Amino acid sequence: MDKEKIIDIFKSTEALLEGHFVLTSGRHSAAYFQCAKVLQFPEHLTAFGSLIAKQFAGQAPDLVITPAIGGIVLGTEVGRQLGVRTIFSERKDKRMVIRRGLGIEAGEKVLIVEDVVTTGGSVREVMSLVKQAGGSIIGVGVLVDRSNGTISLHDNQYAVVKLEAVSYEQGNVPEELAAFPIQKPGSRF
């Protein structure tokens, strides 16, 4: 599936939004990928999940883990296609944790799946949890890499689509973007 087809899918499902957004990372952007809008359609969820699952099938992961909330649907589909257990981490008191009786066994080969990466902060937090539990990270699969490949999280990293979606630090937002009302659709707000 080529980049233009993927962008068309995001636009047709209203998953690519335009405006003034504060991203989960805290950065400001004129574009926002609301992956839940595209992943609600089984045909897109299956297709995107398949691209990630095929990329990592040869490494035979034992487990898929995703940060909540954005990665859960995609991670579950990737885990289903790989035939492996899938869990998620979530924030509690502003810290990423694994709870609800879920866990990682020492020595398990773990694939981390996320819907959108801008700075990679949430994925890095999950990576830390995997390492603390004694798991072995075999790779990171992402639906949308907003950094256009500039964020390196793992030697074995795959993104369905890499885009350069410009974002700005809080104090460096251009006037034309600052003129729009701020929206905070991310899961940390």
Side-chain angles (χ1 to χ4, degrees):
M1 191 178 311
D2 70 15
K3 187 175 181 175
E4 294 307 314
K5 173 135 175 91
I6 293 168
I7 296 300
D8 286 345
I9 290 169
F10 268 83
K11 287 180 178 177
S12 71
T13 59
E14 299 177 4
L16 178 54
L17 308 174
E18 294 178 345
H20 181 177
F21 303 95
V22 176
L23 308 174
T24 302
S25 64
R27 295 179 65 84
H28 292 243
S29 180
Y32 187 81
F33 292 90
Q34 183 57 275
C35 291
K37 299 254 322 199
V38 72
L39 297 176
Q40 70 181 321
F41 297 100
E43 66 273 21
H44 301 316
L45 174 61
T46 301
F48 293 143
S50 176
L51 292 171
I52 295 172
K54 285 178 184 174
Q55 184 69 28
F56 295 100
Q59 284 112 48
D62 300 309
L63 172 73
V64 170
I65 185 171
T66 69
I69 192 163
I72 292 176
V73 172
L74 181 61
T76 301
E77 176 63 15
V78 171
R80 184 193 69 77
Q81 289 188 27
L82 291 170
V84 301
R85 187 168 64 94
T86 305
I87 66 172
F88 61 90
S89 62
E90 60 189 305
R91 293 200 183 283
K92 182 176 181 189
D93 300 326
K94 298 184 181 183
R95 270 183 359 112
M96 192 68 77
V97 296
I98 299 172
R99 45 185 242 168
R100 301 175 193 262
L102 304 174
I104 299 169
E105 299 293 323
E108 279 189 303
K109 295 188 297 183
V110 180
L111 171 61
I112 299 170
V113 174
E114 176 66 299
D115 61 345
V116 180
V117 170
T118 302
T119 64
S122 294
V123 171
R124 284 189 182 93
E125 289 178 79
V126 173
M127 293 174 83
S128 178
L129 293 173
V130 172
K131 291 174 186 171
Q132 288 170 18
S136 172
I137 301 167
I138 61 129
V140 174
V142 177
L143 178 52
V144 177
D145 177 351
R146 290 176 46 98
S147 80
N148 200 25
T150 63
I151 298 297
S152 178
L153 300 165
H154 193 272
D155 291 341
N156 190 17
Q157 180 174 316
Y158 170 75
V160 171
V161 65
K162 295 176 185 173
L163 301 167
E164 185 172 7
V166 179
S167 64
Y168 306 92
E169 293 289 338
Q170 168 69 35
N172 198 24
V173 177
E175 286 182 30
E176 58 272 11
L177 183 56
F180 289 96
I182 294 175
Q183 298 177 59
K184 295 180 180 181
S187 60
R188 284 194 211 170
F189 298 99

